[in-house]
Amino acid sequence: MPKAGILTFHRCINYGSYWQARCLAEGLASMGVEAVLLEHMSDRVNRAEWRCALQPLLPAATPKEDYPLYKAKIRKFFHSFASLPLSPPFPLENPAGMDDYSLIIVGSDEVWNLRHPWYGGYPVFYGEGLRCRRLVSYAATFGSLTSSERLEGWAEKLRRFSHISVRDLHSERIIRETLGLEPELVLDPCLQFPQMLNASRDGGEAASYIAVYGHSFPTWFQDAMRRWARDRGYPLVSIGYRNDWADEQWIDAGPEEFAGFISEAKAVVTNFFHGCVFSLINEKPFACVLSDYRSNKIRDLTQLVRAEHHVLTEDAIPSLDVILGNPLPKGISQRISSLRHRSSAYLSHALQ
């Protein structure tokens, strides 16, 4: 099969963005498809990405002592980026400089989110200007974009895709309402190709810490997690970001360290989409809370895999022992397995 290109956000200083790109590339390779990540470059995007990586908690200022840690984290990401299968670079603003491909796969991640603070509004993610004979999407999403928001003239661009798949119910609804099409609902690449993570899932005894992944958690959620962990003698360890309510901070973890850290945790508390994804991959008990930017993604994922009870609200906090002190219900893994078969069937058909 000729070489395929993958168009996604593979250079974000974000564990989920890195791993979804890597898992899709390596997962396609396991299916016999030689695929490269399309190395789009933009000084504007780089400046915005690196600024956010150094000041992730805005409007809260980054403490001076944390800057060296965030810089070390960025360097670890750069090191990991260098090992990805990358195409020759080309300007994001002018894809005419890219190589020709028989097939380009757009996704995963928020590639169609026009509200994304620095990638939003680039028509290349809607297929415009790409040098290829055929376009398909895999697990693409509109993120926090609503169906009525700024989509006029944009959604029509997706008609040039021969096959469209999305990873959430929100994006499925947008495609149906704006284009009258029925996209395939598939798994995020990390859930679809978990073997690429080399995570430790051998059923051995988990370490006695609770992983905290995310930032800007509501106070009521912080208090509930802290009480539950303290009563059981589990330290709360925050990875990738500072959370002062946690007992320990591991800000400068790299992507591979993150994957190992989640795989060895006793349980996970998060407000990030891929915090939930990595909990599911490793069959870890988890508790999550919605945020404005990520509410669509997390709500739809947990509904899709039948893990809605892991999403907490201030008005309805269940016994945390039920969701954090017990293994995930078997129905969740069974649902993921079913969705994995559906996603494999979609890929096999779309890649022909």
Side-chain angles (χ1 to χ4, degrees):
M1 182 178 291
K3 184 180 293 186
I6 299 170
L7 182 65
T8 188
F9 301 161
H10 61 286
R11 281 193 173 270
C12 290
I13 311 299
N14 176 283
Y15 301 117
S17 291
Y18 169 83
W19 277 111
Q20 62 85 20
R22 178 171 165 182
C23 284
L24 184 53
E26 295 183 357
L28 291 175
S30 73
M31 297 175 64
V33 178
E34 184 181 1
V36 295
L37 293 156
L38 298 180
E39 180 76 315
H40 49 81
M41 304 297 291
S42 167
D43 289 340
R44 171 188 170 274
V45 167
N46 285 342
R47 286 193 297 270
E49 184 68 46
W50 301 340
R51 189 182 306 119
C52 179
L54 288 170
Q55 298 179 298
L57 308 183
L58 288 175
T62 297
K64 288 184 179 180
E65 63 269 24
D66 286 352
Y67 273 105
L69 299 174
Y70 284 119
K71 288 179 180 177
K73 175 183 171 183
I74 292 172
R75 286 193 295 270
K76 289 179 179 179
F77 269 86
F78 286 171
H79 178 76
S80 294
F81 294 155
S83 65
L84 293 173
L86 301 172
S87 76
F90 62 92
L92 179 61
E93 296 81 1
N94 182 22
M98 67 183 292
D99 287 349
D100 290 308
Y101 294 88
S102 61
L103 173 71
I104 287 180
I105 303 151
V106 180
S108 176
D109 222 319
E110 299 179 29
V111 286
W112 295 336
N113 187 359
L114 298 175
R115 288 183 59 193
H116 191 283
W118 44 90
Y119 279 123
Y122 280 104
V124 66
F125 294 107
Y126 281 72
E128 200 161 285
L130 293 176
R131 298 178 57 175
C132 63
R133 292 198 297 273
R134 198 159 59 90
L135 275 169
V136 304
S137 75
Y138 183 78
T141 176
F142 292 93
S144 57
L145 192 72
T146 65
S147 56
S148 60
E149 184 182 16
R150 293 177 56 188
L151 266 174
E152 186 175 353
W154 284 92
E156 284 297 318
K157 298 178 188 296
L158 299 180
R159 290 195 184 276
R160 71 190 71 186
F161 284 69
S162 62
H163 296 81
I164 295 178
S165 71
V166 295
R167 74 180 186 191
D168 54 69
L169 299 166
H170 173 67
S171 298
E172 181 188 43
R173 195 159 46 244
I174 289 178
I175 295 292
R176 187 186 311 114
E177 292 173 355
T178 57
L179 298 179
L181 302 175
E182 289 291 340
E184 192 70 42
L185 196 60
V186 298
L187 288 174
D188 176 271
C190 300
L191 276 169
Q192 178 64 16
F193 301 109
Q195 66 272 25
M196 304 306 160
L197 289 159
N198 295 318
S200 173
R201 298 189 300 279
D202 58 7
E205 187 67 24
S208 59
Y209 62 82
I210 308 300
V212 178
Y213 179 47
H215 60 74
S216 308
F217 291 89
T219 302
W220 64 264
F221 185 83
Q222 298 176 27
D223 292 343
M225 295 305 113
R226 194 162 46 209
R227 282 195 302 270
W228 183 85
R230 183 184 59 234
D231 289 349
R232 287 149 189 82
Y234 298 140
L236 292 162
V237 183
S238 177
I239 188 163
Y241 305 94
R242 173 170 291 281
N243 283 287
D244 284 327
W245 55 279
D247 300 295
E248 301 174 32
Q249 315 292 327
W250 188 12
I251 291 173
D252 62 341
E256 290 79 11
E257 291 171 321
F258 169 82
F261 175 80
I262 299 296
S263 75
E264 295 170 4
K266 189 78 174 178
V268 179
V269 297
T270 186
N271 60 356
F272 277 16
F273 174 81
H274 276 101
C276 300
V277 166
F278 272 74
S279 301
L280 293 166
I281 290 168
N282 292 286
E283 300 183 353
K284 297 294 178 179
F286 71 100
C288 63
V289 63
L290 302 181
S291 63
D292 289 341
Y293 188 79
R294 298 174 177 87
S295 60
N296 291 332
K297 298 189 292 185
I298 292 177
R299 184 184 294 113
D300 284 3
L301 171 66
T302 53
Q303 181 180 341
L304 191 63
V305 302
R306 299 171 185 160
E308 302 97 321
H309 58 292
H310 289 266
V311 181
L312 308 190
T313 64
E314 186 173 10
D315 297 331
I317 302 178
S319 168
L320 290 179
D321 261 344
V322 173
I323 60 172
L324 290 179
N326 291 299
L328 293 181
K330 289 184 178 179
I332 293 178
S333 61
Q334 291 169 349
R335 176 61 174 164
I336 292 172
S337 179
S338 174
L339 289 165
R340 196 169 285 142
H341 285 302
R342 179 198 294 182
S343 303
S344 295
Y346 168 81
L347 278 171
S348 296
H349 182 60
L351 295 173
Q352 289 179 357

